[in-house]
Each structure stands twice: as structure tokens, then as C-alpha cells.
Amino acid sequence: MPHQFTPQEIADLEAVLSAPRFATYLRETDGDRHGAMELYCWNTNVSSAFYVLLQFCELAVRNAAVEAVEKEFGENWHLNRGFAYSLKNPTKRNAYNPRNDLTQCAKRLPTAGKVVAELKFAFWQHLFVTAHDPRLWDQHFADVFPGHDTTLTIAQARAQIYQDLDVLRRLRNRIAHHEPIFARDLDDDQNRARRLISWRRPRTAAWLDTFETVTPTLRSRP
């Protein structure tokens, strides 16, 4: 439903957001300040709607990965040196280092469960690279993702997860930093998140369909 904003309300929002941030919405609406306000409200609503979907998506993939790693390296996988050394260890400055992330968490946290909760989202994405196929995914992918597309090879399905996580991680970061997401292909983002949940547990994806609010919010874009 369209809102009615007073000029003062719009000016106040611009002051809260900052002129450069509000200008992003003004450009999209060709300088229409009321339209920019409507778009900002919608962007906030769709970001909120995506939060639930992304939460289930991250949990689904993370817990599937943990299950696979436990099958191969045992319940104390976070202390297993063989597993740690199988992780990438880039030396490039500012590059994410999954090996360092794991070892630092394992040093200061008492249990695998605590480590899981502290590892960055990027850590789980980095498990879905080709290097982990022989020992991890070739053996355990079908068990932990029973709903995956069986027309794909395991390597293709694992690569699809990596690609989906890369796209969704960027969406997640934009939402977390209160950035606009209206210019993204949000239908594609939604489909990627749902696919990952469905590959983990199809019935959970069907259950989420009954109450997620991304779909109606996308349809209500001003």
C-alpha cells in the first residue's frame, strides 16, 4: 500500500541516512523524493524478508558441511591437523584464510559446536572447492544433501553450491551493512537460497514456502 510522506518526514529520513545514501534512491526514481522514500521503505522490507530465508539457508549448508566433515574426520574435526592442512592458506594480504580461521577458533573455544558457531560464512563456502572432492564430497555429498539434483554429477552439484553461496554471501553482506539491494536480481537470489535448503531437506523448503515473505514483498515493489 502506498504511503503518504510529508516533506519534513522525507527531509528527516535524508538526514538520518545521509544525503549520499539517499541519493542512491533518488537516482533510481529520477529525482522523485516521495518515490525515493517509498523505494527505501520497500528495500528495508525486502531485506528483512530475506533475513529469514538466508538464516535457514546458511544453517542448512553449514550443518550439512559439518555432518560431512564429522563423517570423514570425527567429532573432534576442529582439532584434526589433517583437516586443517587441507584448507586453503592464502598469503595474500586481506584474503580470507579458512585455515587460520579454523585454527584460531579451535584454540580459544572448548567444543566443536562453539567453533561451528564462530566460523565465518566464508569458511563454509570454501569447503565447496574442487580440492575437497576426493576425500569429502565424493564420499559424503549425497548423504548430506539428499535432495540434490541427481542429473548433475557430484562435482557439478558441489560447484553449484559454491556459486550459490558466493552470490548469497554478497547479498547477506549488503543486508548486514544496510546497503540497497533493489538493483539485484532478487528472484534469482531467492531461487538460489531455496535450492540450497531443498537440497538439504526438501520438506523443510516446502514448509518455508508456507510462511516466507520474500515472494509477496517482491511483488509489492513500488
Side-chain angles (χ1 to χ4, degrees):
M1 179 180 296
H3 299 86
Q4 293 299 321
F5 303 107
T6 68
Q8 187 59 56
E9 286 173 332
I10 296 174
D12 287 343
L13 177 68
E14 184 174 358
V16 169
L17 296 179
S18 80
R21 185 177 289 266
F22 192 59
T24 301
Y25 298 89
L26 282 171
R27 286 193 295 271
E28 182 68 14
T29 58
D30 297 322
D32 180 350
R33 298 178 69 77
H34 191 278
M37 187 83 160
E38 288 273 14
L39 182 59
Y40 177 80
C41 289
W42 179 84
N43 189 87
T44 300
N45 287 337
V46 78
S47 296
S48 177
F50 261 107
Y51 180 82
V52 173
L53 194 60
L54 291 172
Q55 178 187 29
F56 275 93
C57 177
E58 181 174 355
L59 289 171
V61 174
R62 185 184 76 182
N63 291 334
V66 169
E67 187 178 324
V69 171
E70 283 182 342
K71 286 175 180 289
E72 190 63 34
F73 296 97
E75 62 181 13
N76 289 322
W77 55 270
H78 61 301
L79 302 174
N80 187 296
R81 290 188 177 183
F83 176 58
Y85 282 113
S86 74
L87 300 172
K88 286 187 176 182
N89 184 34
T91 57
K92 185 177 179 181
R93 188 178 180 181
N94 298 325
Y96 174 68
N97 189 317
R99 185 187 300 178
N100 185 63
D101 195 7
L102 174 63
T103 55
Q104 291 303 311
C105 285
K107 283 180 182 178
R108 62 185 177 83
L109 297 169
T111 65
K114 295 288 187 181
V115 170
V116 168
E118 289 293 318
L119 288 168
K120 295 179 176 63
F121 188 27
F123 178 86
W124 308 107
Q125 179 189 351
H126 278 269
L127 287 184
F128 291 89
V129 296
T130 306
H132 292 295
D133 281 352
R135 190 165 183 182
L136 200 60
W137 301 123
D138 289 348
Q139 306 297 320
H140 307 298
F141 189 92
D143 290 336
V144 300
F145 290 105
H148 78 278
D149 183 353
T150 56
T151 67
L152 302 176
T153 66
I154 294 300
Q156 289 170 333
R158 184 266 310 150
Q160 181 67 66
I161 290 180
Y162 182 92
Q163 182 181 7
D164 288 346
L165 290 178
D166 195 52
V167 171
L168 294 173
R169 181 174 57 82
R170 295 173 193 276
L171 171 65
R172 178 181 182 268
N173 288 346
R174 290 195 69 81
I175 291 173
H177 290 94
H178 319 302
E179 296 291 339
I181 63 171
F182 62 78
R184 295 178 60 92
D185 184 345
L186 294 174
D187 287 307
D188 180 66
D189 291 331
Q190 181 185 21
N191 290 336
R192 288 176 187 272
R194 191 193 185 283
R195 173 167 56 217
L196 292 176
I197 298 166
S198 179
W199 281 15
R200 175 61 170 161
R201 287 294 185 272
R203 282 189 292 270
T204 299
W207 169 69
L208 277 171
D209 290 341
T210 67
F211 74 89
E212 60 84 15
T213 58
V214 173
T215 301
T217 307
L218 290 178
R219 292 172 183 163
S220 69
R221 175 169 174 159

